Amino acid sequence: PASNIAHETPPITRRADKTSKTMMALMLMVAFSAGIVHTLGFTLSPLNNVLLRRPTEPIRRRCYLPSQRAHKFTSTKIYNLYDDWSQDLLSSSQSEYSYDDLILPLDEESIDLCLEEVMDSDYGKTMFGRHDMAADVGITGSIEFVSLEGPEVVLSLIGKFWHRRETVLGKAAMYLNARIPELTSVTVSSPEDLSDFEDVVDDFTGEVLYVEDKRAPDFNGDRETMEYQGLDPDVRGPFVFSNTGGMIRPA
């Protein structure tokens, strides 16, 4: 009948609709696959439809000026020039530094940098109270920059040290002279800074009431034992370490 013919969909139109739906399904599958590929870190090569892994970000290496090399960070260790210098490792395969990194100009910034390197070194952890290991046994000492007058630098020793105060100043002075060759003198602001004992005097009579020990406590008796044996306690220091770097004592 004529009415049926009017409402019947032509075969060509039906085929076009089916083809359109098929294409749409394929496009959705491709888009979904592309999303997964992108998430997994791959990209589709436009030449041969081969999956290629996207290149990772290039490794960025930071360049340091000598005055900026107080610390260089790696995944396992903070490198300190003082430790390598004190063990004569500079310019060797065991050091991150060379002798070219050692020399600094004569100015206040260089002096502050050197003192920080001394105090934050592995050796400094046994000497200065800023570190927990030393602070836990009563060590509170610190060394500070006071002034720079021409080629002469003045420092100050503050707090209590397990080591002799002369030893503390000597370690800092040797390192300052090595890094800043223009320096001619490293001294302290007061002679009392180098004294391990201090007389407490009566203000009225001038009589010595008692002698105050300015040193940190001999927490395990090792310092007194070594002095009795005629040994220099400062050579070993307050702690004993194993070959692997672990601390054996104090008990």
Side-chain angles (χ1 to χ4, degrees):
S3 59
N4 291 341
I5 295 174
H7 294 285
E8 185 177 357
T9 304
I12 296 176
T13 304
R14 288 199 300 270
R15 285 197 299 271
D17 289 344
K18 185 176 181 180
T19 302
S20 177
K21 291 179 180 179
T22 302
M23 291 297 295
M24 185 174 293
L26 289 173
M27 291 174 64
L28 288 174
M29 291 176 63
V30 170
F32 180 76
S33 300
I36 295 177
V37 167
H38 184 274
T39 302
L40 294 177
F42 292 86
T43 185
L44 192 64
S45 171
L47 298 178
N48 51 13
N49 293 333
V50 176
L51 288 178
L52 302 175
R53 181 173 291 277
R54 291 197 305 273
T56 57
E57 288 293 325
I59 298 174
R60 302 181 185 274
R61 299 189 180 276
R62 196 176 284 179
C63 296
Y64 293 84
L65 297 175
S67 61
Q68 297 173 320
R69 292 196 175 196
H71 302 294
K72 297 202 305 186
F73 295 88
T74 68
S75 58
T76 58
K77 178 178 174 61
I78 300 177
Y79 285 92
N80 186 301
L81 199 152
Y82 178 85
D83 289 317
D84 290 354
W85 169 81
S86 64
Q87 299 176 62
D88 198 23
L89 296 178
L90 296 182
S91 296
S92 73
S93 60
Q94 302 178 56
S95 175
E96 290 285 310
Y97 301 94
S98 69
Y99 282 102
D100 293 336
D101 300 320
L102 188 64
I103 305 303
L104 293 175
L106 175 59
D107 55 37
E108 295 184 5
E109 180 183 357
S110 297
I111 295 170
D112 282 330
L113 172 63
C114 291
L115 294 180
E116 286 297 313
E117 287 178 330
V118 172
M119 289 190 286
D120 280 341
S121 65
D122 286 343
Y123 182 82
K125 292 177 182 178
T126 70
M127 181 176 281
F128 298 99
R130 62 169 57 186
H131 303 285
D132 292 340
M133 181 172 64
D136 288 345
V137 296
I139 298 172
T140 63
S142 178
I143 186 165
E144 296 183 358
F145 168 67
V146 176
S147 65
L148 177 63
E149 301 174 3
E152 300 180 354
V153 62
V154 179
L155 307 177
S156 178
L157 302 184
I158 300 171
K160 292 180 176 291
F161 296 93
W162 190 93
H163 299 76
R164 292 193 305 275
R165 299 172 84 87
E166 288 183 352
T167 299
V168 177
L169 178 65
K171 294 291 185 182
M174 289 176 62
Y175 188 58
L176 284 168
N177 283 318
R179 297 214 67 183
I180 311 174
E182 296 175 70
L183 278 178
T184 60
S185 174
V186 179
T187 59
V188 290
S189 55
S190 171
E192 285 74 22
D193 273 3
L194 296 181
S195 176
D196 296 313
F197 300 92
E198 182 178 359
D199 292 339
V200 178
V201 180
D202 188 290
D203 293 336
F204 296 101
T205 64
E207 180 183 356
V208 176
L209 300 177
Y210 60 92
V211 177
E212 179 183 359
D213 190 346
K214 296 166 60 178
R215 299 175 298 175
D218 187 9
F219 57 94
N220 59 0
D222 280 4
R223 185 172 60 200
E224 182 179 1
T225 299
M226 285 185 282
E227 289 174 344
Y228 177 79
Q229 294 173 343
L231 304 175
D232 183 359
D234 291 357
V235 173
R236 195 208 72 182
F239 307 109
V240 180
F241 298 91
S242 67
N243 292 333
T244 59
M247 186 169 63
I248 301 175
R249 287 187 294 181

